[in-house]
Amino acid sequence: MAERMVGKQAPRFEMEAVLANKEFGKVSLEENMKNDKWTVLFFYPMDFTFVCPTEITAMSDRYDEFEDLDAEVIGLSTDTIHTHLAWINTDRKENGLGDLRYPLAADTNHAVSRDYGVLIEEEGVALRGLFIINPEGELQYQTVFHNNIGRDVDETLRVLQALQTGGLCPANWKPGQATL
């Protein structure tokens, strides 16, 4: 039986990544917590696919909005940092990513995908999962869905802002509206 994650401490992670400057480095939840940042962690199945670049580039194009909300965005798949870099170095017109404003992490041992409950074991790839973690390391939001559907960046930003209000947000709440 699946165990509830929301409202609990998020699984800690540290992974190799291609950073926004295209250098190899590391990303970790602990580092974001130390810097008092929210973490928007999203899983996608594989590099050089069709739906993935649409959402990865959409998140990058809106990165300033995440930054304004004190949030760090981390994308990850089970591919290697070398495959990530090759995809980043491929122009968007060629189904590549081009420059990204946030890191892409490599979960090559599948540990993080497994910890977050998104790993398709028999395929060795992750489902599309999105997790929002507050600066104290508590998982505040999760959504996991089939790999043929891309994420909605507007909804991700709306949920992040709703969580940051600290209040009760009614159905269809939008930033700037009153909470309950």
Side-chain angles (χ1 to χ4, degrees):
M1 170 149 301
E3 185 177 322
R4 173 182 67 86
M5 292 177 60
V6 172
K8 295 183 176 184
Q9 285 293 299
R12 300 303 193 257
F13 60 82
E14 180 177 275
M15 292 176 283
E16 297 288 329
V18 179
L19 306 177
N21 63 5
K22 297 186 181 180
E23 292 181 6
F24 297 139
K26 290 188 184 285
V27 293
S28 75
L29 181 56
E30 293 289 339
E31 187 68 20
N32 290 351
M33 291 169 60
K34 185 173 78 175
N35 293 324
D36 201 34
K37 298 286 186 179
W38 288 75
T39 300
V40 176
L41 180 69
F42 75 93
F43 295 80
Y44 64 94
M46 287 184 284
D47 294 351
F48 293 100
T49 56
F50 300 102
V51 175
C52 298
T54 65
E55 60 183 3
I56 292 169
T57 57
M59 295 282 268
S60 183
D61 292 346
R62 307 272 305 270
Y63 182 75
D64 288 342
E65 294 172 68
F66 289 100
E67 197 171 46
D68 289 346
L69 296 169
D70 290 323
E72 294 292 338
V73 175
I74 301 171
L76 73 132
S77 76
T78 57
D79 293 300
T80 68
I81 54 174
H82 303 287
T83 306
H84 288 343
L85 183 58
W87 200 24
I88 290 167
N89 284 332
T90 302
D91 190 87
R92 288 186 181 189
K93 292 180 210 138
E94 305 293 322
N95 198 37
L97 300 178
D99 292 336
L100 289 183
R101 310 258 330 267
Y102 59 85
L104 283 187
D107 183 26
T108 54
N109 66 4
H110 305 171
V112 180
S113 298
R114 193 172 287 115
D115 286 349
Y116 280 81
V118 298
L119 183 64
I120 304 171
E121 291 281 351
E122 58 276 11
E123 295 178 29
V125 299
L127 289 165
R128 289 187 201 287
L130 177 83
F131 300 83
I132 299 177
I133 305 162
N134 72 14
E136 292 75 39
E138 182 181 314
L139 184 60
Q140 298 281 296
Y141 177 83
Q142 80 176 54
T143 181
V144 179
F145 45 99
H146 198 280
N147 281 336
N148 62 356
I149 304 166
R151 277 166 266 264
D152 184 328
V153 179
D154 287 331
E155 176 63 2
T156 303
L157 285 162
R158 184 192 78 83
V159 169
L160 177 60
Q161 290 171 304
L163 290 168
Q164 290 180 347
T165 68
L168 301 173
C169 297
N172 303 317
W173 178 90
K174 299 281 189 272
Q177 293 178 338
T179 57
L180 301 177

PDB file of all heavy atoms in Angstrom, residues 79-100:
ATOM      1  N   ASP A  79      18.056   9.743 -16.758  1.00  0.00           N
ATOM      2  CA  ASP A  79      19.148   9.871 -17.717  1.00  0.00           C
ATOM      3  C   ASP A  79      20.404  10.424 -17.038  1.00  0.00           C
ATOM      4  O   ASP A  79      20.337  10.956 -15.925  1.00  0.00           O
ATOM      5  CB  ASP A  79      18.741  10.813 -18.856  1.00  0.00           C
ATOM      6  CG  ASP A  79      17.636  10.237 -19.721  1.00  0.00           C
ATOM      7  OD1 ASP A  79      17.859   9.162 -20.295  1.00  0.00           O
ATOM      8  OD2 ASP A  79      16.573  10.869 -19.813  1.00  0.00           O
ATOM      9  N   THR A  80      21.526  10.357 -17.726  1.00  0.00           N
ATOM     10  CA  THR A  80      22.800  10.837 -17.184  1.00  0.00           C
ATOM     11  C   THR A  80      22.956  12.343 -17.385  1.00  0.00           C
ATOM     12  O   THR A  80      22.267  12.946 -18.224  1.00  0.00           O
ATOM     13  CB  THR A  80      23.999  10.146 -17.862  1.00  0.00           C
ATOM     14  OG1 THR A  80      24.058  10.584 -19.229  1.00  0.00           O
ATOM     15  CG2 THR A  80      23.887   8.626 -17.789  1.00  0.00           C
ATOM     16  N   ILE A  81      23.894  12.931 -16.657  1.00  0.00           N
ATOM     17  CA  ILE A  81      24.186  14.357 -16.850  1.00  0.00           C
ATOM     18  C   ILE A  81      24.716  14.616 -18.260  1.00  0.00           C
ATOM     19  O   ILE A  81      24.487  15.681 -18.821  1.00  0.00           O
ATOM     20  CB  ILE A  81      25.159  14.899 -15.774  1.00  0.00           C
ATOM     21  CG1 ILE A  81      26.434  14.063 -15.707  1.00  0.00           C
ATOM     22  CG2 ILE A  81      24.477  15.009 -14.424  1.00  0.00           C
ATOM     23  CD1 ILE A  81      27.508  14.608 -14.763  1.00  0.00           C
ATOM     24  N   HIS A  82      25.391  13.628 -18.849  1.00  0.00           N
ATOM     25  CA  HIS A  82      25.931  13.798 -20.196  1.00  0.00           C
ATOM     26  C   HIS A  82      24.806  13.849 -21.235  1.00  0.00           C
ATOM     27  O   HIS A  82      24.862  14.648 -22.174  1.00  0.00           O
ATOM     28  CB  HIS A  82      26.926  12.680 -20.506  1.00  0.00           C
ATOM     29  CG  HIS A  82      28.038  12.636 -19.500  1.00  0.00           C
ATOM     30  ND1 HIS A  82      29.040  13.580 -19.463  1.00  0.00           N
ATOM     31  CD2 HIS A  82      28.269  11.793 -18.476  1.00  0.00           C
ATOM     32  CE1 HIS A  82      29.866  13.307 -18.463  1.00  0.00           C
ATOM     33  NE2 HIS A  82      29.407  12.229 -17.837  1.00  0.00           N
ATOM     34  N   THR A  83      23.789  13.016 -21.050  1.00  0.00           N
ATOM     35  CA  THR A  83      22.623  13.060 -21.936  1.00  0.00           C
ATOM     36  C   THR A  83      21.871  14.369 -21.738  1.00  0.00           C
ATOM     37  O   THR A  83      21.436  14.998 -22.710  1.00  0.00           O
ATOM     38  CB  THR A  83      21.694  11.853 -21.675  1.00  0.00           C
ATOM     39  OG1 THR A  83      22.457  10.654 -21.783  1.00  0.00           O
ATOM     40  CG2 THR A  83      20.551  11.815 -22.665  1.00  0.00           C
ATOM     41  N   HIS A  84      21.724  14.798 -20.479  1.00  0.00           N
ATOM     42  CA  HIS A  84      21.080  16.094 -20.203  1.00  0.00           C
ATOM     43  C   HIS A  84      21.811  17.216 -20.938  1.00  0.00           C
ATOM     44  O   HIS A  84      21.180  18.062 -21.590  1.00  0.00           O
ATOM     45  CB  HIS A  84      21.099  16.415 -18.709  1.00  0.00           C
ATOM     46  CG  HIS A  84      20.189  15.602 -17.844  1.00  0.00           C
ATOM     47  ND1 HIS A  84      19.135  14.857 -18.313  1.00  0.00           N
ATOM     48  CD2 HIS A  84      20.186  15.436 -16.496  1.00  0.00           C
ATOM     49  CE1 HIS A  84      18.515  14.276 -17.287  1.00  0.00           C
ATOM     50  NE2 HIS A  84      19.144  14.608 -16.178  1.00  0.00           N
ATOM     51  N   LEU A  85      23.133  17.245 -20.829  1.00  0.00           N
ATOM     52  CA  LEU A  85      23.907  18.318 -21.452  1.00  0.00           C
ATOM     53  C   LEU A  85      23.759  18.279 -22.974  1.00  0.00           C
ATOM     54  O   LEU A  85      23.613  19.329 -23.612  1.00  0.00           O
ATOM     55  CB  LEU A  85      25.381  18.231 -21.048  1.00  0.00           C
ATOM     56  CG  LEU A  85      26.270  19.351 -21.583  1.00  0.00           C
ATOM     57  CD1 LEU A  85      25.766  20.728 -21.128  1.00  0.00           C
ATOM     58  CD2 LEU A  85      27.722  19.135 -21.150  1.00  0.00           C
ATOM     59  N   ALA A  86      23.782  17.092 -23.552  1.00  0.00           N
ATOM     60  CA  ALA A  86      23.595  16.983 -25.005  1.00  0.00           C
ATOM     61  C   ALA A  86      22.233  17.541 -25.412  1.00  0.00           C
ATOM     62  O   ALA A  86      22.111  18.238 -26.439  1.00  0.00           O
ATOM     63  CB  ALA A  86      23.734  15.527 -25.443  1.00  0.00           C
ATOM     64  N   TRP A  87      21.200  17.272 -24.618  1.00  0.00           N
ATOM     65  CA  TRP A  87      19.858  17.759 -24.922  1.00  0.00           C
ATOM     66  C   TRP A  87      19.774  19.273 -24.748  1.00  0.00           C
ATOM     67  O   TRP A  87      19.158  19.977 -25.547  1.00  0.00           O
ATOM     68  CB  TRP A  87      18.860  17.041 -24.038  1.00  0.00           C
ATOM     69  CG  TRP A  87      17.439  17.044 -24.505  1.00  0.00           C
ATOM     70  CD1 TRP A  87      16.981  17.194 -25.786  1.00  0.00           C
ATOM     71  CD2 TRP A  87      16.297  16.857 -23.702  1.00  0.00           C
ATOM     72  NE1 TRP A  87      15.614  17.118 -25.820  1.00  0.00           N
ATOM     73  CE2 TRP A  87      15.167  16.906 -24.550  1.00  0.00           C
ATOM     74  CE3 TRP A  87      16.097  16.637 -22.348  1.00  0.00           C
ATOM     75  CZ2 TRP A  87      13.867  16.755 -24.078  1.00  0.00           C
ATOM     76  CZ3 TRP A  87      14.795  16.482 -21.883  1.00  0.00           C
ATOM     77  CH2 TRP A  87      13.702  16.545 -22.738  1.00  0.00           C
ATOM     78  N   ILE A  88      20.409  19.792 -23.714  1.00  0.00           N
ATOM     79  CA  ILE A  88      20.445  21.241 -23.484  1.00  0.00           C
ATOM     80  C   ILE A  88      21.192  21.925 -24.627  1.00  0.00           C
ATOM     81  O   ILE A  88      20.808  23.011 -25.077  1.00  0.00           O
ATOM     82  CB  ILE A  88      21.096  21.562 -22.120  1.00  0.00           C
ATOM     83  CG1 ILE A  88      20.163  21.130 -20.977  1.00  0.00           C
ATOM     84  CG2 ILE A  88      21.444  23.043 -22.006  1.00  0.00           C
ATOM     85  CD1 ILE A  88      20.822  21.101 -19.604  1.00  0.00           C
ATOM     86  N   ASN A  89      22.233  21.297 -25.126  1.00  0.00           N
ATOM     87  CA  ASN A  89      23.027  21.867 -26.218  1.00  0.00           C
ATOM     88  C   ASN A  89      22.363  21.714 -27.585  1.00  0.00           C
ATOM     89  O   ASN A  89      22.895  22.180 -28.585  1.00  0.00           O
ATOM     90  CB  ASN A  89      24.425  21.252 -26.242  1.00  0.00           C
ATOM     91  CG  ASN A  89      25.302  21.819 -25.141  1.00  0.00           C
ATOM     92  OD1 ASN A  89      25.124  22.947 -24.699  1.00  0.00           O
ATOM     93  ND2 ASN A  89      26.249  21.022 -24.677  1.00  0.00           N
ATOM     94  N   THR A  90      21.197  21.077 -27.628  1.00  0.00           N
ATOM     95  CA  THR A  90      20.433  20.932 -28.866  1.00  0.00           C
ATOM     96  C   THR A  90      19.417  22.067 -28.933  1.00  0.00           C
ATOM     97  O   THR A  90      18.700  22.335 -27.966  1.00  0.00           O
ATOM     98  CB  THR A  90      19.713  19.566 -28.902  1.00  0.00           C
ATOM     99  OG1 THR A  90      20.691  18.529 -28.775  1.00  0.00           O
ATOM    100  CG2 THR A  90      18.938  19.391 -30.194  1.00  0.00           C
ATOM    101  N   ASP A  91      19.362  22.736 -30.050  1.00  0.00           N
ATOM    102  CA  ASP A  91      18.463  23.868 -30.249  1.00  0.00           C
ATOM    103  C   ASP A  91      16.998  23.440 -30.084  1.00  0.00           C
ATOM    104  O   ASP A  91      16.626  22.311 -30.444  1.00  0.00           O
ATOM    105  CB  ASP A  91      18.681  24.444 -31.655  1.00  0.00           C
ATOM    106  CG  ASP A  91      17.966  25.759 -31.839  1.00  0.00           C
ATOM    107  OD1 ASP A  91      18.545  26.806 -31.498  1.00  0.00           O
ATOM    108  OD2 ASP A  91      16.808  25.731 -32.317  1.00  0.00           O
ATOM    109  N   ARG A  92      16.188  24.333 -29.591  1.00  0.00           N
ATOM    110  CA  ARG A  92      14.760  24.054 -29.407  1.00  0.00           C
ATOM    111  C   ARG A  92      14.077  23.681 -30.715  1.00  0.00           C
ATOM    112  O   ARG A  92      13.157  22.875 -30.726  1.00  0.00           O
ATOM    113  CB  ARG A  92      14.050  25.248 -28.762  1.00  0.00           C
ATOM    114  CG  ARG A  92      14.397  25.432 -27.297  1.00  0.00           C
ATOM    115  CD  ARG A  92      13.580  26.534 -26.659  1.00  0.00           C
ATOM    116  NE  ARG A  92      13.939  26.713 -25.259  1.00  0.00           N
ATOM    117  CZ  ARG A  92      13.280  27.487 -24.425  1.00  0.00           C
ATOM    118  NH1 ARG A  92      12.224  28.170 -24.831  1.00  0.00           N
ATOM    119  NH2 ARG A  92      13.671  27.592 -23.171  1.00  0.00           N
ATOM    120  N   LYS A  93      14.521  24.260 -31.817  1.00  0.00           N
ATOM    121  CA  LYS A  93      13.917  23.943 -33.126  1.00  0.00           C
ATOM    122  C   LYS A  93      14.193  22.503 -33.536  1.00  0.00           C
ATOM    123  O   LYS A  93      13.523  21.962 -34.405  1.00  0.00           O
ATOM    124  CB  LYS A  93      14.452  24.893 -34.189  1.00  0.00           C
ATOM    125  CG  LYS A  93      14.004  26.318 -34.011  1.00  0.00           C
ATOM    126  CD  LYS A  93      14.581  27.208 -35.106  1.00  0.00           C
ATOM    127  CE  LYS A  93      14.766  28.597 -34.555  1.00  0.00           C
ATOM    128  NZ  LYS A  93      15.991  29.224 -34.945  1.00  0.00           N
ATOM    129  N   GLU A  94      15.186  21.899 -32.904  1.00  0.00           N
ATOM    130  CA  GLU A  94      15.563  20.512 -33.208  1.00  0.00           C
ATOM    131  C   GLU A  94      15.085  19.546 -32.121  1.00  0.00           C
ATOM    132  O   GLU A  94      15.666  18.484 -31.929  1.00  0.00           O
ATOM    133  CB  GLU A  94      17.088  20.411 -33.333  1.00  0.00           C
ATOM    134  CG  GLU A  94      17.707  21.353 -34.336  1.00  0.00           C
ATOM    135  CD  GLU A  94      17.321  21.012 -35.759  1.00  0.00           C
ATOM    136  OE1 GLU A  94      17.225  19.811 -36.075  1.00  0.00           O
ATOM    137  OE2 GLU A  94      17.094  21.953 -36.542  1.00  0.00           O
ATOM    138  N   ASN A  95      14.051  19.930 -31.346  1.00  0.00           N
ATOM    139  CA  ASN A  95      13.501  19.146 -30.233  1.00  0.00           C
ATOM    140  C   ASN A  95      14.447  19.098 -29.040  1.00  0.00           C
ATOM    141  O   ASN A  95      14.384  18.209 -28.208  1.00  0.00           O
ATOM    142  CB  ASN A  95      13.111  17.726 -30.666  1.00  0.00           C
ATOM    143  CG  ASN A  95      12.155  17.073 -29.680  1.00  0.00           C
ATOM    144  OD1 ASN A  95      11.277  17.743 -29.125  1.00  0.00           O
ATOM    145  ND2 ASN A  95      12.327  15.798 -29.427  1.00  0.00           N
ATOM    146  N   GLY A  96      15.317  20.112 -28.978  1.00  0.00           N
ATOM    147  CA  GLY A  96      16.215  20.229 -27.831  1.00  0.00           C
ATOM    148  C   GLY A  96      15.671  21.217 -26.824  1.00  0.00           C
ATOM    149  O   GLY A  96      14.556  21.733 -26.962  1.00  0.00           O
ATOM    150  N   LEU A  97      16.483  21.493 -25.820  1.00  0.00           N
ATOM    151  CA  LEU A  97      16.061  22.393 -24.747  1.00  0.00           C
ATOM    152  C   LEU A  97      16.641  23.787 -24.886  1.00  0.00           C
ATOM    153  O   LEU A  97      16.079  24.748 -24.363  1.00  0.00           O
ATOM    154  CB  LEU A  97      16.473  21.809 -23.388  1.00  0.00           C
ATOM    155  CG  LEU A  97      15.881  20.449 -23.054  1.00  0.00           C
ATOM    156  CD1 LEU A  97      16.412  19.970 -21.712  1.00  0.00           C
ATOM    157  CD2 LEU A  97      14.364  20.484 -23.060  1.00  0.00           C
ATOM    158  N   GLY A  98      17.808  23.897 -25.530  1.00  0.00           N
ATOM    159  CA  GLY A  98      18.473  25.186 -25.546  1.00  0.00           C
ATOM    160  C   GLY A  98      18.867  25.556 -24.123  1.00  0.00           C
ATOM    161  O   GLY A  98      18.939  24.699 -23.243  1.00  0.00           O
ATOM    162  N   ASP A  99      19.125  26.821 -23.900  1.00  0.00           N
ATOM    163  CA  ASP A  99      19.523  27.262 -22.559  1.00  0.00           C
ATOM    164  C   ASP A  99      18.381  27.078 -21.572  1.00  0.00           C
ATOM    165  O   ASP A  99      17.236  27.398 -21.879  1.00  0.00           O
ATOM    166  CB  ASP A  99      19.937  28.736 -22.589  1.00  0.00           C
ATOM    167  CG  ASP A  99      21.216  28.959 -23.368  1.00  0.00           C
ATOM    168  OD1 ASP A  99      22.012  28.004 -23.487  1.00  0.00           O
ATOM    169  OD2 ASP A  99      21.422  30.081 -23.858  1.00  0.00           O
ATOM    170  N   LEU A 100      18.725  26.564 -20.385  1.00  0.00           N
ATOM    171  CA  LEU A 100      17.764  26.423 -19.285  1.00  0.00           C
ATOM    172  C   LEU A 100      18.189  27.312 -18.139  1.00  0.00           C
ATOM    173  O   LEU A 100      19.373  27.551 -17.935  1.00  0.00           O
ATOM    174  CB  LEU A 100      17.692  24.975 -18.788  1.00  0.00           C
ATOM    175  CG  LEU A 100      17.035  23.960 -19.697  1.00  0.00           C
ATOM    176  CD1 LEU A 100      16.987  22.604 -19.003  1.00  0.00           C
ATOM    177  CD2 LEU A 100      15.635  24.389 -20.095  1.00  0.00           C
TER     178      LEU A 100
END
